[in-house]
Amino acid sequence: MAGQPPRTYRATEEGCVTVIRRSSKDIATERVLAFCEPVHARPMGQEHIREVGPEGFKYGGGIPVAALCGFNVVMGWDMQRPVTPEAVKTLAAPRAGDGHVWLCGGCASEALLLLDRADAKS
Ligand SMILES: [Zn+2]
């Protein structure tokens, strides 16, 4: 919408986050991230983060690509939760009580890099 300041990321209708980056030609490109679970998810398993492509969010029916860390989440599903720096840091921190970490460390690092880059003004 005209007149609104550009935002580095925003929640989409699906509840996830769009990362906006600017190329050298100052053309905005959007990268969408989503928390996701592999199809063999266990109660104490870890979530990963993937970059959502043209296929859009997959809350069922199978993810077609690997997670940011390279982990195979194909046939898994996306989580309906925004990928914000705060959410990533919270999920990547050991849970009080038993120290369980809900988010894959590789995906957390990659996602924070993408989100940090989106925050940087070019
Ligand atoms: Zn991962």
Side-chain angles (χ1 to χ4, degrees):
M1 285 167 221
Q4 286 197 338
R7 279 185 288 178
T8 53
Y9 58 89
R10 61 185 167 81
T12 66
E13 283 178 13
E14 290 89 350
C16 289
V17 163
T18 300
V19 177
I20 301 169
R21 301 202 310 170
R22 290 188 179 280
S23 76
S24 54
K25 291 178 181 173
D26 204 33
I27 297 168
T29 55
E30 293 193 336
R31 301 181 68 174
V32 181
L33 301 179
F35 288 114
C36 58
E37 279 191 324
V39 69
H40 47 81
R42 296 169 291 116
M44 290 295 279
Q46 285 192 317
E47 292 182 12
H48 294 265
I49 298 173
R50 74 178 188 105
E51 183 163 358
V52 180
E55 76 281 358
F57 295 99
K58 291 286 190 181
Y59 300 122
I63 294 169
V65 297
L68 293 179
C69 68
F71 189 86
N72 183 10
V73 291
V74 173
M75 297 312 291
W77 51 83
D78 292 327
M79 312 291 289
Q80 236 164 331
R81 193 190 317 124
V83 179
T84 62
E86 294 73 29
V88 171
K89 285 169 189 164
T90 300
L91 285 170
R95 178 171 65 178
D98 64 2
H100 181 68
V101 178
W102 288 108
L103 182 63
C104 155
C107 283
S109 316
E110 284 294 315
L112 287 175
L113 275 177
L114 289 170
L115 292 165
D116 282 349
R117 248 180 264 156
D119 285 338
K121 302 285 180 288
S122 56

